[in-house]
Amino acid sequence: PVLEMLSILPPIAELAEALPKRSVPGFEAISQFEPASNSWVDTSNIDQIGGYRIRGEYRNRYVIRTANDLKSNSVSFVSAEVAKHFQAAELGRPLFAFDLTNSKLIVPLGASIPGLYGRAAVLASGKLPEQDSTGKLLIYSNINSKTSRLLAAKLGGVKIE
């Protein structure tokens, strides 16, 4: 059931295009997600494709922007996890690693696999992800390479054979 579930889910880039669009909101500060450091990096504008954290109105909100959003001056409001994985996909790599020897999918803490993609990973694993001993990573255990490759295709823009 896991592979069937993942096969019907769209790649994250297609999901981003299908999300409801809103006008770019005002903000006090804005950061863009940097996958290499798993951190939000302050920026002065929101004029690139990617995932952003907007600070304002006494809260943080997360948005993504596609090429079409740039043309229409719009954004889609999403969870922090979707913003992070979308940004990583825009850079052409998934925001997780696969340990083939130990059948583990490893993601940075705070970047759990979003939505139904994450549910599929939990279904494949048979249990919720667990923190590693450093407290910096989440581990999805009992994940086979086929599931990992399909997740990479859906969340990282990686082509599979």
Side-chain angles (χ1 to χ4, degrees):
V2 172
L3 296 178
E4 290 84 4
M5 182 178 181
L6 284 172
S7 69
I8 63 172
L9 291 174
I12 197 164
E14 285 181 29
L15 173 71
E17 292 293 350
L19 291 171
K21 306 300 179 186
R22 304 277 187 263
S23 297
V24 175
F27 53 86
E28 295 167 14
I30 190 155
S31 307
Q32 189 168 22
F33 186 67
E34 173 51 55
S37 63
N38 190 36
S39 62
W40 295 99
V41 178
D42 289 340
T43 185
S44 59
N45 58 57
I46 190 169
D47 60 2
Q48 294 179 14
I49 296 170
Y52 295 90
R53 178 178 65 189
I54 295 174
R55 286 174 282 192
E57 301 174 358
Y58 306 104
R59 62 183 171 160
N60 288 331
R61 294 184 290 170
Y62 302 90
V63 299
I64 57 175
R65 297 199 80 189
T66 66
N68 287 330
D69 293 335
L70 295 176
K71 293 174 190 169
S72 64
N73 199 31
S74 61
V75 298
S76 294
F77 286 91
V78 296
S79 68
E81 292 81 7
V82 169
K84 291 175 179 183
H85 283 274
F86 178 76
Q87 179 71 35
E90 281 303 309
L91 298 175
R93 51 176 250 174
L95 189 57
F96 60 81
F98 180 62
D99 178 349
L100 180 61
T101 304
N102 296 304
S103 300
K104 293 180 179 181
L105 196 67
I106 304 161
V107 299
L109 189 64
S112 59
I113 299 173
L116 291 175
Y117 308 97
R119 298 258 176 130
V122 169
L123 180 61
S125 173
K127 61 181 185 175
L128 293 172
E130 298 175 342
Q131 281 189 29
D132 76 334
S133 60
T134 69
K136 295 181 178 181
L137 301 171
L138 282 178
I139 311 292
Y140 294 81
S141 57
N142 304 317
I143 303 292
N144 65 39
S145 63
K146 244 184 181 175
T147 300
S148 174
R149 285 196 317 273
L150 197 46
L151 278 167
K154 300 295 181 166
L155 294 177
V158 175
K159 303 260 190 258
I160 58 172
E161 300 169 8

